[in-house]
Amino acid sequence: MSTTTGVPAFSRSNESWHSIDWEACHISVKRLQTRIAKATIETDWRQVKKLQRMLVRSFSAKALAVRKVTENRGKNTAGVDKVTWNTPVKKWDAINELKRKGYKPKPLRRVYIPKSNGKLRPLGIPTMKDRAMQALYLLALEPVSETKADRNSYGFRPNRSTADAIEQCFVNLSRKNSAQWVLEGDIKGCFDNISHDWLINNVHMDKTVLRKWLKAGYMESGKLNPTEAGTPQGGIISPVLANLALDGLESVLESHFGKKNTKASYKTKVNYVRYADDFIITGISKELLEDEVLPLVKAFMAERGLKLSESKTLITHIDKGFDFLGQNLRKYKGKMLIMPAKKSVKQLLSNVKAYLDSHKTASAAAVISKLNPMIRGWCNYHRHICSDRAFKYVDYRIWQMLWKWCRRIHKNRRKRWIRAKYFKTVDKRNWVFSAPRKGEDGYYRLAYASRVDIVRHVKIRARANCYLPEDEQYFETFKVRKLKSSLAGNMKLWALAKRQDYKCAVCNQVFKTEDEWDVHHIIRRVDGGSDKQSNLTLLHMNCHKQIHSNCG
């Protein structure tokens, strides 16, 4: 018995996992995914089913599924069985466990996470095996969902982001003759209420496995609770199932009000943008949205077991403005401006204040290490819009909080002494919150929002499909552009990635911004290797471990 990599399936050594040819796995899976996407375009569902069956049974797909769930952020979070796959032996054994025959998913472990409004959101955590099975079937389902997706749907899709959705809103609303009214849609408990019957009848994947996932139930306070509707938030495949349920509304609207750039669409100016379960629909008048569009949306949702929230579904004039995905879109005297929403600014400042209030005796270096990722993450999210004024305000308010924090620690010290200790002058900037580095020269510096460059976002092509050969070059260029942007502040990593054509030296896959990577020394430091660029290479974390395992 052997695998496509030439490693015996019964071998249980560390070397079995680390000897897998990941590049060959990616190529094999991508080839089948391309065929599935083409069959979907031709609506040849029998061929789709056949190819999906081939993919989920392949060693390459199983290996990639296990790798995905053991390298993401939740890799150390166990399900109800309290099992994690944290060794190469366990990962190798897991590949051979991913079989449809006899498969029975365990109930989800229910936990609650806080929402921005102070309420709690239920989260279901599957076991590692169930996560891997979902990742495996997702490899076969995603080419279908991407090919069938609404043109202007951007949430939970590969290579798409909130910035794309916001940019499309700008396209739909910014011109002088653009629509003036906006329907803000809010689905009541979207993930919790999607009809199981609709999913089983309409999602093109193995019905038996899908039904088992949907009916697995969840454990809470030691009690098993059934699931009669919805897809559990926390499952790897849940976002794609939700997308499949919500896809199709754009086609419904186009059938009634005309496709984009046609005479009918110019009369009504009905345009649709969705990110996950948040969406907006533009229209030429309030009456059009209220009397014609809204009933269509309600009927579409009702088929899927969903309802719109009466209190949160609003119709707003663009001059009044509305919040969407944490940003405010509004026209001022005919000019469209998109700025960070007040709620988003308040949330950031509230998080900073909460940290400083609960860490009154922390060191300045610890404060900087905690606040910098918060500030940079928030700024990177809002850096594509008109954020200059908001960034300056955030800097000012954080400075006020830090000054108050310093004064509280050193009640008996003069203000001049506090300023000299904590606030330095850097490149003509005064009052830069700083902390000395231990055992070395220099200082840690607080990140300043106003120093973040504001760059216009380039929206992804609406019809681009990462599973079709004709779009392959476009997506490679797209991924490289995103990677360059994410590495812009780290010239050393940027230089390494550029030298490698932005691909991992082991699996030959283009790096993604969400990937975990390591810097590898070609000649080990213990063998006299240096830290010079010529002796370094950028690798995926798993590929790095593979090299060291093979080197002994």
Side-chain angles (χ1 to χ4, degrees):
M1 182 179 179
S2 63
T3 69
T4 55
T5 60
V7 179
F10 51 78
S11 173
R12 297 187 71 253
S13 65
N14 290 354
E15 287 75 14
S16 300
W17 173 259
H18 289 306
S19 63
I20 295 173
D21 186 342
W22 294 109
E23 184 177 5
C25 288
H26 281 288
I27 292 171
S28 174
V29 169
K30 187 65 182 289
R31 188 180 295 119
L32 281 171
Q33 287 178 322
T34 298
R35 292 176 66 188
I36 291 170
K38 288 180 177 179
T40 303
I41 292 172
E42 296 166 2
T43 62
D44 187 350
W45 301 118
R46 181 176 292 182
Q47 179 71 354
V48 168
K49 185 177 180 179
K50 177 183 174 183
L51 292 169
Q52 286 180 327
R53 193 186 305 119
M54 288 173 60
L55 193 149
V56 298
R57 290 178 178 179
S58 71
F59 174 86
S60 296
K62 291 178 180 180
L64 289 176
V66 172
R67 180 174 174 175
K68 180 172 184 176
V69 300
T70 55
E71 288 188 10
N72 60 18
R73 291 181 181 177
K75 61 187 175 184
N76 296 320
T77 304
V80 293
D81 60 358
K82 299 181 180 179
V83 171
T84 57
W85 297 337
N86 51 11
T87 66
V89 171
K90 290 180 179 178
K91 295 175 186 178
W92 178 258
D93 288 345
I95 295 175
N96 298 314
E97 290 178 21
L98 301 185
K99 297 175 182 177
R100 181 184 184 276
K101 188 176 181 181
Y103 170 64
K104 185 178 180 181
K106 287 183 168 59
L108 306 171
R109 180 164 70 89
R110 174 63 65 90
V111 297
Y112 291 89
I113 57 173
K115 295 170 70 174
S116 58
N117 59 7
K119 295 181 181 180
L120 295 175
R121 173 184 284 121
L123 196 68
I125 301 176
T127 63
M128 291 297 291
K129 182 177 179 179
D130 293 334
R131 271 179 261 174
M133 284 292 283
Q134 289 189 18
L136 176 61
Y137 279 85
L138 180 60
L139 289 171
L141 180 60
E142 202 166 56
V144 177
S145 68
E146 276 299 289
T147 306
K148 293 181 64 182
D150 283 342
R151 186 173 63 250
N152 288 307
S153 161
Y154 298 97
F156 301 127
R157 293 181 62 191
N159 307 303
R160 285 163 170 81
S161 65
T162 53
D164 292 310
I166 293 293
E167 187 64 24
Q168 184 61 39
C169 291
F170 182 84
V171 170
N172 292 342
L173 293 163
S174 60
R175 298 182 181 90
K176 287 183 179 180
N177 59 348
S178 295
Q180 298 294 303
W181 291 89
V182 178
L183 168 65
E184 304 170 60
D186 185 273
I187 303 171
K188 195 173 182 179
C190 178
F191 280 87
D192 298 328
N193 295 308
I194 297 174
S195 167
H196 284 180
D197 290 338
W198 190 93
L199 289 172
I200 292 166
N201 293 331
N202 292 276
V203 173
H204 295 282
M205 66 166 287
D206 191 309
K207 310 293 184 186
T208 303
V209 174
L210 177 58
R211 185 179 287 106
K212 287 179 179 179
W213 285 335
L214 296 175
K215 302 296 184 183
Y218 63 92
M219 296 294 294
E220 187 173 19
S221 302
K223 182 182 177 183
L224 176 63
N225 298 274
T227 45
E228 301 301 332
T231 62
Q233 292 190 59
I236 289 175
I237 206 167
S238 294
V240 173
L241 294 178
N243 266 345
L244 285 166
L246 296 175
D247 280 333
L249 181 54
E250 191 167 27
S251 300
V252 170
L253 294 172
E254 286 179 347
S255 67
H256 283 79
F257 303 105
K259 291 187 176 181
K260 195 173 182 180
N261 298 328
T262 61
K263 287 183 178 180
S265 69
Y266 285 134
K267 290 179 181 179
T268 58
K269 297 176 182 174
V270 172
N271 292 294
Y272 170 77
V273 179
R274 177 172 69 84
Y275 187 91
D277 57 343
D278 294 320
F279 66 90
I280 67 153
I281 302 174
T282 66
I284 199 167
S285 68
K286 184 177 182 179
E287 292 72 27
L288 174 74
L289 294 175
E290 205 166 48
D291 300 334
E292 298 185 47
V293 173
L294 194 54
L296 285 174
V297 175
K298 286 181 177 179
F300 177 87
M301 297 297 172
E303 288 179 16
R304 291 147 176 82
L306 300 172
K307 293 181 180 178
L308 294 179
S309 170
E310 297 292 339
S311 60
K312 295 181 181 178
T313 299
L314 308 171
I315 298 176
T316 312
H317 195 276
I318 192 61
D319 289 346
K320 185 179 177 182
F322 64 96
D323 289 350
F324 185 56
L325 303 177
Q327 296 175 351
N328 181 263
L329 297 87
R330 184 177 175 183
K331 271 189 175 178
Y332 297 83
K333 297 180 180 179
K335 184 177 181 180
M336 180 78 171
L337 292 180
I338 305 176
M339 296 181 284
K342 290 181 179 179
K343 286 183 182 178
S344 180
V345 175
K346 286 180 180 178
Q347 186 63 50
L348 171 67
L349 297 177
S350 176
N351 291 341
V352 172
K353 185 177 186 300
Y355 174 79
L356 293 177
D357 288 346
S358 60
H359 293 77
K360 297 177 182 178
T361 59
S363 66
V367 170
I368 290 171
S369 67
K370 179 66 177 180
L371 296 189
N372 275 358
M374 292 168 60
I375 296 168
R376 288 196 185 106
W378 187 85
C379 291
N380 286 337
Y381 182 85
H382 294 290
R383 66 187 300 218
H384 304 298
I385 57 174
C386 304
S387 304
D388 186 59
R389 185 180 296 179
F391 285 178
K392 289 177 181 176
Y393 175 72
V394 162
D395 282 344
Y396 171 67
R397 291 286 290 113
I398 291 176
W399 175 86
Q400 281 185 319
M401 287 186 271
L402 286 171
W403 179 249
K404 184 178 178 181
W405 180 82
C406 295
R407 292 288 308 280
R408 185 169 51 202
I409 294 174
H410 304 286
K411 292 181 180 178
N412 299 324
R413 293 285 187 175
R414 293 177 181 273
K415 294 179 182 178
R416 191 172 294 174
W417 182 92
I418 295 173
R419 177 183 176 176
K421 180 175 176 62
Y422 291 103
F423 298 92
K424 310 295 180 183
T425 299
V426 180
D427 297 332
K428 297 182 181 180
R429 286 187 298 138
N430 298 322
W431 295 85
V432 178
F433 189 71
S434 308
R437 297 177 183 268
K438 288 185 178 179
E440 53 184 298
D441 295 333
Y443 288 86
Y444 295 109
R445 312 286 189 192
L446 183 74
Y448 276 74
S450 56
R451 303 285 290 181
V452 175
D453 293 331
I454 295 174
V455 182
R456 181 71 180 267
H457 178 73
V458 179
K459 193 182 84 70
I460 193 169
R461 279 202 328 241
R463 286 297 185 192
N465 187 335
C466 59
Y467 294 106
L468 295 179
E470 54 264 33
D471 291 328
E472 186 173 355
Q473 188 175 356
Y474 170 78
F475 276 103
E476 285 213 358
T477 306
F478 177 85
K479 288 177 184 176
V480 167
R481 189 172 68 239
K482 283 189 72 176
L483 188 66
K484 283 180 180 179
S485 177
S486 67
L487 294 178
N490 192 324
M491 297 307 296
K492 189 173 184 179
L493 283 181
W494 187 87
L496 286 176
K498 184 179 180 181
R499 191 182 70 195
Q500 297 169 207
D501 197 23
Y502 307 98
K503 295 180 180 179
C504 173
V506 173
C507 66
N508 203 36
Q509 299 301 303
V510 175
F511 286 111
K512 300 176 184 176
T513 53
E514 64 270 20
D515 286 347
E516 292 183 324
W517 49 57
D518 281 338
V519 176
H520 170 66
H521 289 75
I522 299 170
I523 300 175
R524 297 184 301 178
R525 280 177 290 189
V526 293
D527 297 330
S530 69
D531 288 328
K532 292 181 178 179
Q533 289 274 351
S534 57
N535 192 47
L536 302 177
T537 186
L538 203 60
L539 305 173
H540 285 115
M541 192 174 289
N542 187 78
C543 296
H544 193 198
K545 291 177 182 176
Q546 186 176 36
I547 284 184
H548 281 285
S549 174
N550 293 337
C551 290

